[in-house]
Amino acid sequence: MLQHPKVKGPNIGLLGFSKGGDLCLSMASFLKGITATVVINACVANTVAPLHYKDIIIPVLGSELQKQKNTDLGLLNLVDIWNDPLEEHNQQSLIPLEKAHGPFLFIVGMDDHNWKSELYAHLASKRLQEYGKKKPQIICYPETGHFIDPPYFPLSRASVHSVLGEVVFYGGEPRAHSKAQEDAWQQIQIFFQKYLNGKKSVQHSKI
């Protein structure tokens, strides 16, 4: 990343959403030079596919598809299918956040119907503090769904799941979700400016 012409350096920040979020948690845990990490609606355990890094393999957090539900419109609701990462036989899938050197910001949509994102953010916070690490920043947005895009992107309440190939419900109420996207955009900039550039304040984007 530092060799990329678009990367200013010397610090690197990561921003990940959903599966990309747990990949960023893994990168921050294993790679050097990660100074700040923002995670939007992600799991605290490894998901979808086993993670391989050198001689380390983090298995997938299992799921039980029979626990999926259907909305009134016939869309899949997956929030309850994921196994509890704290159960003993699932703990190997937990990402070792305590190995990370930089701070975390968790952005949470409280109406996320893909992950139990608020629960996972607080599990991450508890784990970090148990290992003597700094408590992460967690920002929760009521009535906000899974896809917290940059401001003025339309709310995506449902889409075809890239793995299942079926239409999945992601939650969110239009007005609250739109406001959350605006605020989250600013909060992410403030976080990165503070930990990448050492600035306590940031000029708000006009977007």
Side-chain angles (χ1 to χ4, degrees), residues 2-205:
L2 288 173
Q3 295 175 355
H4 194 286
K6 295 291 185 180
V7 177
K8 179 181 178 182
N11 301 319
I12 296 175
L14 301 176
L15 171 61
F17 157 72
S18 194
K19 171 58 187 176
D22 76 58
L23 286 175
C24 284
L25 293 178
S26 296
M27 291 174 69
S29 299
F30 293 114
L31 303 181
K32 296 179 180 179
I34 307 300
T35 309
T37 304
V38 178
V39 175
I40 302 173
N41 286 335
C43 187
V44 73
N46 182 55
T47 63
V48 181
L51 179 77
H52 296 258
Y53 177 71
K54 296 183 178 180
D55 59 345
I56 299 171
I57 300 176
I58 300 181
V60 174
L61 177 66
S63 61
E64 299 178 53
L65 288 176
Q66 67 270 21
K67 291 184 178 180
Q68 67 187 25
K69 300 175 183 177
N70 290 315
T71 68
D72 293 339
L73 296 176
L75 306 176
L76 288 182
N77 183 337
L78 302 177
V79 72
D80 291 324
I81 72 169
W82 304 101
N83 293 338
D84 183 353
L86 295 185
E87 290 185 358
E88 186 174 355
H89 60 283
N90 295 324
Q91 289 183 11
Q92 289 186 338
S93 68
L94 286 167
I95 298 166
L97 302 173
E98 66 278 2
K99 296 181 181 293
H101 296 288
F104 293 97
L105 167 60
F106 289 86
I107 302 290
V108 173
M110 297 178 72
D111 193 39
D112 183 0
H113 286 263
N114 190 75
W115 309 111
K116 296 180 179 179
S117 298
E118 183 180 9
L119 170 64
Y120 296 149
H122 287 292
L123 289 180
S125 178
K126 182 179 179 181
R127 182 181 180 103
L128 287 167
Q129 292 178 82
E130 285 176 347
Y131 280 89
K133 297 289 184 173
K134 182 179 179 181
K135 183 178 181 180
Q137 183 180 0
I138 300 174
I139 304 177
C140 296
Y141 295 101
E143 299 182 290
T144 301
H146 188 59
F147 287 97
I148 304 180
D149 293 308
Y152 317 124
F153 274 67
L155 167 60
S156 177
R157 301 191 75 203
S159 69
V160 176
H161 196 281
S162 59
V163 176
L164 298 177
E166 299 186 58
V167 180
V168 171
F169 177 65
Y170 291 113
E173 296 300 325
R175 183 180 295 275
H177 194 100
S178 177
K179 290 182 178 180
Q181 289 184 170
E182 288 187 78
D183 187 72
W185 180 258
Q186 301 299 338
Q187 296 293 341
I188 291 167
Q189 291 181 81
I190 291 170
F191 180 80
F192 278 142
Q193 290 283 6
K194 178 179 179 180
Y195 291 107
L196 297 181
N197 295 330
K199 297 181 180 178
K200 295 183 179 179
S201 61
V202 60
Q203 183 177 358
H204 291 300
S205 171

